[in-house]
Amino acid sequence: MAAHDHFIDAFHGVSVAKVLSEEVEDVTDVDVGGAFDIAMDPIDGSGSIGICALLGMLFVIYPAGDGRFLRPGTEAVGAGYACFGHSVDVAWSLGDGVHIATLDRRAGDFRVTAERIRLKPTTSMIAVNASN
């Protein structure tokens, strides 16, 4: 629940209207006049901590709507994943491929390490950790 609360606090004042989180049952109202709705799993993989699997954060951003989150993916304006493992990586897309930034611990900021990644149309499956 701490991860959920942290993100809700961070979403105040940045035009987020509603949040659907895997951590709570109801949609959270953040800013009635916000331009975006966010669906997220703020700590994906927490059930696998005992086997040292990766942890991450998944999100999708939609234009603000009527509070329903069951929408086609084509309505999304952005989506991404943050991975907390041997490195801290953030991958996101705004519709023009996937971009990845990795935390440079010495510099204390993120550096873009890959841009405009695209899957081949014939790709049938992707996985971060297919061995689990």
Side-chain angles (χ1 to χ4, degrees):
M1 221 23 205
H4 167 85
D5 293 337
H6 174 78
F7 281 106
I8 296 300
D9 289 345
F11 292 149
H12 286 282
V14 294
S15 204
V16 173
K18 297 181 181 302
V19 175
L20 175 67
S21 172
E22 194 268 340
E23 298 296 320
V24 297
E25 289 188 30
D26 297 320
V27 172
T28 303
D29 293 317
V30 179
D31 176 3
V32 176
F36 302 101
D37 292 337
I38 296 178
M40 68 174 183
D41 183 347
I43 194 79
D44 182 55
S46 60
S48 300
I49 289 174
I51 61 168
C52 298
L54 295 173
L55 293 178
M57 184 268 186
L58 303 159
F59 65 92
V60 63
I61 305 167
Y62 290 107
D66 60 6
R68 292 180 297 124
F69 278 85
L70 187 57
R71 306 187 207 180
T74 54
E75 290 184 18
V77 295
Y81 182 77
C83 179
F84 318 116
H86 66 281
S87 64
V88 178
D89 302 295
V90 179
W92 73 94
S93 179
L94 301 175
D96 185 26
V98 174
H99 312 281
I100 298 175
T102 301
L103 178 63
D104 180 332
R105 293 182 194 275
R106 280 190 240 151
D109 60 12
F110 283 85
R111 307 293 170 103
V112 175
T113 52
E115 295 182 277
R116 292 184 178 83
I117 300 168
R118 295 186 179 275
L119 296 175
K120 294 178 183 178
T122 56
T123 302
S124 62
M125 179 176 59
I126 61 170
V128 171
N129 187 352
S131 65
N132 284 339

